[in-house]
Amino acid sequence: MAPERDSESAPPASRSVAQQAMSGAEVAAGAAARAQPMGPVAPDAAATDKPKSTAERLDDARNANKRMGTEVRRQRLREPSKADPGKVRTVENGTLKDNRRMMRIVSSRQDLTNFRELAWIADEGKPFRNARCSRTVQVSENVEPKEKPTMLMCWRLTPKKSVYTITVDLKKNPTPQEGVAALEREWKRMG
């Protein structure tokens, strides 16, 4: 006959080898330590009596910005574009990651005034052939307009047909000749 085993001393199958080597008190202490958060965490929404109001959440965000030394930047307000985004064609040549140069050509048979990136232009641009070009942009209302030497935006807009180009070249400053040449090719392609 096989010897009987004491059921209390037999390790349960659900316990790990490490847990089997620990005493009961050590296991309890280890479980309590694992239950503690490892760093700062957001308060549990279930732990609060009621959800925060929008004003309270905004106040929390502003205080966090103050602590981090940052400020809220609001989008520059411009008259919204009346263009239908579904009727806009966009072509990109190159990538900043691979070539360190990118050109985006955007065209449509409608007026693209204030459409997407055109809303960033902070001046009237300088005339070049049948278009205008600018390096000066303002994305946020509380940030002064800045000239971006590695970026050039060129555009030609009419109520029935519009084309604009954005060229970014991290190796050399883009020239109006390249931006307007691409713009004119697209204008001609559109007929």
Side-chain angles (χ1 to χ4, degrees):
M1 232 177 165
E4 284 187 31
R5 296 183 81 186
D6 183 5
S7 62
E8 287 184 14
S9 64
S14 62
R15 289 178 57 188
S16 71
V17 173
Q19 287 175 323
Q20 292 172 20
M22 293 185 213
S23 71
E26 290 172 322
V27 171
R34 284 189 301 277
Q36 296 299 317
M38 297 302 286
V41 294
D44 185 12
T48 60
D49 294 337
K50 61 179 182 163
K52 289 186 176 185
S53 69
T54 302
E56 290 170 322
R57 291 193 338 259
L58 284 171
D59 191 45
D60 287 349
R62 288 184 184 111
N63 289 334
N65 277 333
K66 285 179 189 174
R67 283 192 314 272
M68 293 187 293
T70 60
E71 68 178 272
V72 175
R73 293 188 177 176
R74 290 175 176 76
Q75 181 180 354
R76 181 175 178 210
L77 299 176
R78 299 291 298 269
E79 184 179 324
S81 175
K82 295 178 177 109
D84 177 0
K87 296 179 180 178
V88 175
R89 178 177 187 255
T90 302
V91 176
E92 282 196 19
N93 299 316
T95 64
L96 294 178
K97 182 180 177 187
D98 296 336
N99 325 49
R100 299 184 50 82
R101 175 181 167 67
M102 179 276 304
M103 179 182 282
R104 180 177 301 150
I105 305 160
V106 181
S107 59
S108 185
R109 293 194 176 281
Q110 59 185 328
D111 186 2
L112 293 178
T113 300
N114 288 333
F115 185 74
R116 293 186 192 150
E117 299 93 346
L118 287 177
W120 301 346
I121 298 171
D123 61 13
E124 69 225 20
K126 293 183 179 150
F128 188 85
R129 296 200 282 244
N130 290 330
R132 302 189 80 74
C133 297
S134 178
R135 297 178 193 280
T136 307
V137 296
Q138 182 182 17
V139 180
S140 300
E141 68 180 28
N142 54 342
V143 176
E144 290 297 314
K146 288 185 180 178
E147 184 172 307
K148 304 288 186 182
T150 60
M151 183 189 78
L152 181 69
M153 295 175 72
C154 297
W155 65 94
R156 184 173 172 193
L157 309 174
T158 68
K160 303 264 183 204
K161 186 169 155 181
S162 299
V163 178
Y164 71 90
T165 63
I166 303 170
T167 308
V168 178
D169 193 333
L170 302 178
K171 295 182 226 169
K172 64 180 181 81
N173 294 353
T175 64
Q177 288 85 352
E178 348 174 54
V180 173
L183 183 150
E184 288 174 341
R185 281 192 301 274
E186 180 65 11
W187 192 273
K188 187 176 179 181
R189 184 200 65 79
M190 292 173 71

